[in-house]
Amino acid sequence: MNAFTRHLANIARLGVKELWSLWRDPMMLVLIVYLFTVAVYSSARAIPETLHMAAIAVVDEDHSPLSQRIIGDFYPPLFTRPAVITRDEMDAGMDTGAYTFVLNIPPDFQRDVLAGRAPAVQLNVDATRMSQAFSGSGYIQQIVLGEVQDFTRRYRASTTLPVDLNARMRFNPSLTQAWFGGAMQYVNYITLVSILLTGAALIREREHGTIEHLLVMPVTPTEIMLGKVWAMGLVVLVAAGLSLGVMLRGVLGMPIEGSASLFLAGVALHLFATTSMGIFLATVARTMPQFGLLVMLTILPMQMLSGGSTPFESMPLFVQRVMQVAPTTHFVELAQAILYRGAGIDVVYKPFLILALIGSALFALSLSRFRKTISQMA
């Protein structure tokens, strides 16, 4: 057996050892399954940006055709069927949280509108429900003003403009927010799990004393590190592939426009960088609590400023330049291009190359730090 074959055999055996260690850690396995299933679904369905089934009630003190037309304009899926209540029930309904919006139409509302006066309509909003309060109040104002305008004209009509603007929604024609929220959190969990697995594997060996056993074996620090990288990376890659097909495409019904194989190739390249980062953080931390704090300080800025939550172009120029060295920025770019827009390798080759460079740099830095840590322990 030549030297190269022996190195490959050692890396393979060390990786299998990592897989067996992970298999004996049920809490970590449960975490992986949870993040790529329940957490992805929850991220897609929770806190929608668009208005959906907002609870509304109307205090109709006018009982006129105009007030009835306004009430009839509130219907699913933006609002629930409006509950017609009295003024005495309004405060109690708001206090108990039964209604997010309560619209109070005053007496003689239609008569004042026809007389050219400007009657006041009161809109009560439960501002604790921030996800619906802001957008919902805007919808209600448009509905009320639109009905009043149509009623005073005696007919429904649209003003003819000199320019005809046709809006066409590409890549997400139905504007389904769950597709974006679920996919971006899925991308974030790939980064998070890969860093946690590799870092926890190294710290676990240090706490259990098995790292000293490796030092007396005929293996090099490079082989030890490569064994951890390929084993933990393979686990995350398999979990990501299953979640892509089962959760995103199956449960959430998200159409995958591009090649799933190309995307998973990008995932593998990204995992090369993030698993190396996980080992580097594990060499800095001495215990699992310290490692957890380091992960929080690292992963939160990387995910928030990667372009997954807000458009990358809307960030300050300084932040954009700094985030060019983070692997998450380029991973989000290729993920959005492939999953949403069906981009091919001719479009995403640049983030692929940058990820390869960043991964190589992180691997070299982590290997240097890992060798120093091993020498100190020896």
Side-chain angles (χ1 to χ4, degrees):
M1 179 182 295
N2 56 39
F4 180 73
T5 306
R6 185 171 61 253
H7 287 317
L8 291 180
N10 289 340
I11 293 171
R13 294 190 185 99
L14 290 170
V16 172
K17 178 189 73 68
E18 296 297 334
L19 293 176
W20 278 111
S21 298
L22 178 62
W23 181 254
R24 296 188 182 96
D25 190 348
M27 293 304 299
M28 191 63 73
L29 293 175
V30 170
L31 177 64
I32 296 172
V33 174
Y34 170 80
L35 288 178
F36 283 106
T37 53
V38 178
V40 170
Y41 182 83
S42 300
S43 301
R45 299 300 183 187
I47 315 181
E49 295 178 358
T50 55
L51 195 66
H52 182 71
M53 299 300 291
I56 184 172
V58 178
V59 178
D60 186 6
E61 298 182 283
D62 190 31
H63 301 289
S64 64
L66 177 56
S67 65
Q68 293 300 313
R69 288 175 60 169
I70 292 175
I71 295 174
D73 269 1
F74 298 105
Y75 49 82
L78 295 181
F79 299 93
T80 60
R81 294 291 180 183
V84 180
I85 61 176
T86 64
R87 178 188 285 270
D88 296 334
E89 297 173 319
M90 180 174 62
D91 290 339
M94 295 290 291
D95 291 342
T96 58
Y99 312 116
T100 304
F101 306 98
V102 176
L103 184 68
N104 187 1
I105 302 176
D108 301 325
F109 174 68
Q110 177 178 306
R111 187 184 65 183
D112 291 341
V113 167
L114 294 177
R117 292 187 286 269
V121 178
Q122 185 184 69
L123 176 63
N124 300 274
V125 182
D126 183 358
T128 60
R129 300 176 178 178
M130 286 299 297
S131 62
Q132 294 184 334
F134 179 76
S135 58
S137 59
Y139 275 109
I140 294 173
Q141 292 178 44
Q142 292 178 9
I143 290 172
V144 172
L145 293 178
E147 278 298 340
V148 170
Q149 186 177 16
D150 290 340
F151 188 80
T152 55
R153 283 200 306 253
R154 307 290 183 176
Y155 65 93
R156 296 179 184 269
S158 58
T159 304
T160 303
L161 300 177
V163 176
D164 185 16
L165 179 63
N166 291 323
R168 298 182 179 179
M169 307 301 175
R170 299 193 61 185
F171 313 122
N172 188 359
S174 59
L175 297 179
T176 305
Q177 192 271 344
W179 294 352
F180 176 82
M184 287 301 97
Q185 285 302 315
Y186 161 78
V187 167
N188 289 337
Y189 292 146
I190 290 174
T191 304
L192 175 63
V193 173
S194 60
I195 293 177
L196 284 178
L197 284 184
T198 49
L202 179 57
I203 293 180
R204 184 169 54 239
E205 285 191 340
R206 184 188 300 154
E207 291 179 344
H208 294 171
T210 55
I211 191 70
E212 286 82 0
H213 298 169
L214 294 177
L215 296 178
V216 299
M217 296 177 64
V219 293
T220 64
T222 304
E223 294 171 348
I224 297 174
M225 183 171 168
L226 282 175
K228 297 182 183 299
V229 166
W230 83 256
M232 299 299 100
L234 178 63
V235 171
V236 180
L237 184 63
V238 171
L242 293 175
S243 181
L244 179 67
V246 176
M247 294 304 302
L248 294 184
R249 180 179 286 173
V251 177
L252 297 178
M254 173 183 168
I256 307 300
E257 299 294 339
S259 170
S261 300
L262 181 62
F263 171 70
L264 292 177
V267 172
L269 201 56
H270 177 64
L271 291 174
F272 175 59
T274 53
T275 51
S276 301
M277 184 183 299
I279 291 178
F280 178 82
L281 295 177
T283 59
V284 175
R286 311 307 300 177
T287 61
M288 280 299 295
Q290 291 181 4
F291 176 70
L293 291 175
L294 283 177
V295 170
M296 291 177 60
L297 293 174
T298 304
I299 199 71
L300 289 179
M302 286 175 54
Q303 292 183 350
M304 294 178 63
L305 302 177
S306 63
S309 301
T310 57
F312 190 70
E313 295 77 11
S314 65
M315 300 178 190
L317 185 60
F318 171 75
V319 175
Q320 295 184 36
R321 291 174 177 173
V322 171
M323 289 303 296
Q324 291 296 326
V325 300
T328 51
T329 302
H330 309 284
F331 181 51
V332 168
E333 179 184 353
L334 71 86
Q336 291 180 345
I338 296 173
L339 297 179
Y340 295 153
R341 299 187 290 274
I345 189 63
D346 57 324
V347 176
V348 296
Y349 73 92
K350 185 177 179 180
F352 267 76
L353 292 177
I354 296 176
L355 271 179
L357 292 175
I358 294 176
S360 300
L362 286 174
F363 182 83
L365 180 64
S366 302
L367 181 59
S368 175
R369 175 75 187 180
F370 183 62
R371 282 173 173 167
K372 291 180 181 179
T373 304
I374 292 294
S375 62
Q376 292 173 359
M377 298 181 63

Coordinates of all heavy atoms in Angstrom, one line a residue, residues 244-273:
L244 N -34.9 18.9 1.1 CA -35.2 19.5 -0.2 C -36.4 18.8 -0.9 O -37.3 19.5 -1.4 CB -34.0 19.6 -1.1 CG -34.2 20.3 -2.5 CD1 -34.4 21.7 -2.3 CD2 -32.9 20.0 -3.3
G245 N -36.3 17.5 -1.0 CA -37.4 16.8 -1.7 C -38.6 16.6 -0.9 O -39.7 16.7 -1.4
V246 N -38.5 16.3 0.5 CA -39.7 16.0 1.3 C -40.4 17.3 1.8 O -41.6 17.4 1.6 CB -39.3 15.1 2.4 CG1 -40.5 14.9 3.4 CG2 -38.7 13.8 1.9
M247 N -39.6 18.2 2.4 CA -40.2 19.4 3.0 C -40.5 20.5 2.0 O -41.6 20.9 1.9 CB -39.3 19.9 4.1 CG -39.2 18.9 5.3 SD -40.7 18.4 6.0 CE -41.4 20.0 6.5
L248 N -39.5 20.9 1.3 CA -39.7 22.1 0.4 C -40.6 21.7 -0.8 O -41.6 22.4 -1.0 CB -38.3 22.6 -0.1 CG -37.4 23.2 1.0 CD1 -36.1 23.8 0.3 CD2 -38.1 24.3 1.8
R249 N -40.2 20.7 -1.5 CA -40.9 20.3 -2.7 C -42.2 19.6 -2.3 O -43.3 19.8 -3.0 CB -40.1 19.5 -3.6 CG -40.8 19.1 -4.9 CD -39.8 18.2 -5.8 NE -38.8 19.1 -6.4 CZ -37.8 18.6 -7.1 NH1 -37.6 17.3 -7.2 NH2 -36.9 19.4 -7.6
G250 N -42.2 18.7 -1.3 CA -43.4 17.9 -1.0 C -44.4 18.6 -0.1 O -45.5 18.9 -0.5
V251 N -44.0 18.9 1.1 CA -44.9 19.5 2.1 C -45.3 20.9 1.8 O -46.5 21.3 1.7 CB -44.3 19.4 3.5 CG1 -45.3 20.0 4.5 CG2 -44.1 17.9 3.9
L252 N -44.3 21.7 1.5 CA -44.6 23.1 1.2 C -45.0 23.4 -0.2 O -45.5 24.5 -0.5 CB -43.3 24.0 1.5 CG -42.9 24.0 3.0 CD1 -41.6 24.8 3.2 CD2 -44.0 24.5 3.9
G253 N -44.8 22.4 -1.1 CA -45.2 22.6 -2.5 C -44.4 23.6 -3.3 O -44.8 24.2 -4.3
M254 N -43.1 23.9 -2.8 CA -42.3 24.9 -3.5 C -41.7 24.3 -4.8 O -41.1 23.2 -4.8 CB -41.2 25.3 -2.6 CG -40.1 26.2 -3.2 SD -38.8 26.6 -2.1 CE -37.6 27.3 -3.2
P255 N -41.9 24.9 -5.9 CA -41.3 24.4 -7.2 C -39.8 24.7 -7.2 O -39.4 25.8 -6.9 CB -42.0 25.2 -8.3 CG -42.4 26.5 -7.6 CD -42.7 26.1 -6.2
I256 N -39.0 23.6 -7.5 CA -37.6 23.8 -7.6 C -37.3 24.0 -9.1 O -37.4 23.1 -9.9 CB -36.8 22.5 -7.1 CG1 -37.3 22.2 -5.7 CG2 -35.3 22.7 -7.2 CD1 -37.1 23.3 -4.7
E257 N -37.0 25.3 -9.4 CA -36.8 25.6 -10.8 C -35.6 25.1 -11.5 O -35.5 24.7 -12.6 CB -36.9 27.2 -11.0 CG -38.2 27.8 -10.5 CD -39.3 27.4 -11.4 OE1 -39.1 27.0 -12.5 OE2 -40.5 27.6 -10.9
G258 N -34.5 25.0 -10.7 CA -33.2 24.6 -11.2 C -32.9 23.2 -11.0 O -33.7 22.4 -10.6
S259 N -31.6 22.8 -11.2 CA -31.2 21.4 -11.0 C -30.9 21.2 -9.5 O -30.1 21.9 -8.9 CB -29.9 21.2 -11.8 OG -29.3 20.0 -11.5
A260 N -31.5 20.2 -9.0 CA -31.3 19.8 -7.6 C -29.9 19.3 -7.4 O -29.2 19.5 -6.4 CB -32.3 18.7 -7.1
S261 N -29.3 18.6 -8.4 CA -28.0 18.1 -8.3 C -27.0 19.2 -8.3 O -26.0 19.2 -7.5 CB -27.7 17.2 -9.5 OG -28.6 16.1 -9.6
L262 N -27.2 20.3 -9.1 CA -26.3 21.4 -9.1 C -26.4 22.1 -7.7 O -25.3 22.6 -7.2 CB -26.7 22.4 -10.2 CG -25.8 23.7 -10.4 CD1 -24.4 23.3 -10.7 CD2 -26.4 24.6 -11.4
F263 N -27.6 22.3 -7.2 CA -27.7 22.9 -5.9 C -27.0 22.1 -4.8 O -26.3 22.7 -4.0 CB -29.2 23.0 -5.5 CG -29.4 23.5 -4.1 CD1 -29.1 24.8 -3.7 CD2 -29.9 22.6 -3.2 CE1 -29.3 25.2 -2.4 CE2 -30.1 23.0 -1.9 CZ -29.8 24.3 -1.5
L264 N -27.1 20.8 -4.8 CA -26.5 19.9 -3.8 C -24.9 20.0 -4.0 O -24.2 19.9 -3.0 CB -27.0 18.5 -3.9 CG -28.4 18.3 -3.5 CD1 -28.8 16.9 -3.6 CD2 -28.6 18.8 -2.0
A265 N -24.5 20.2 -5.2 CA -23.0 20.4 -5.4 C -22.6 21.7 -4.7 O -21.5 21.7 -4.1 CB -22.7 20.4 -6.9
G266 N -23.4 22.7 -4.9 CA -23.1 23.9 -4.1 C -23.2 23.8 -2.6 O -22.3 24.4 -1.9
V267 N -24.1 22.9 -2.2 CA -24.2 22.6 -0.7 C -22.9 22.0 -0.3 O -22.3 22.3 0.8 CB -25.4 21.8 -0.4 CG1 -25.4 21.3 1.0 CG2 -26.7 22.5 -0.7
A268 N -22.4 21.0 -1.0 CA -21.2 20.3 -0.7 C -20.0 21.2 -0.6 O -19.2 21.1 0.3 CB -20.9 19.2 -1.7
L269 N -19.9 22.2 -1.5 CA -18.8 23.1 -1.5 C -18.9 24.1 -0.3 O -17.9 24.4 0.3 CB -18.8 23.9 -2.8 CG -17.5 24.6 -3.3 CD1 -16.4 23.6 -3.4 CD2 -17.7 25.3 -4.6
H270 N -20.1 24.4 0.0 CA -20.4 25.3 1.1 C -20.0 24.6 2.4 O -19.5 25.2 3.4 CB -21.8 25.8 1.1 CG -22.2 26.6 2.3 ND1 -21.7 27.8 2.6 CD2 -23.1 26.4 3.4 CE1 -22.2 28.3 3.7 NE2 -23.0 27.5 4.2
L271 N -20.4 23.3 2.5 CA -20.1 22.5 3.7 C -18.6 22.4 3.9 O -18.1 22.3 5.1 CB -20.7 21.1 3.6 CG -22.2 21.1 3.6 CD1 -22.7 19.7 3.4 CD2 -22.7 21.6 5.0
F272 N -17.8 22.3 2.8 CA -16.3 22.3 3.0 C -15.8 23.5 3.8 O -14.9 23.4 4.6 CB -15.7 22.2 1.6 CG -14.2 22.3 1.6 CD1 -13.4 21.3 2.3 CD2 -13.5 23.3 1.0 CE1 -12.1 21.4 2.4 CE2 -12.1 23.4 1.0 CZ -11.4 22.4 1.7
A273 N -16.5 24.7 3.5 CA -16.1 25.9 4.2 C -16.6 25.9 5.7 O -15.9 26.3 6.6 CB -16.5 27.1 3.4

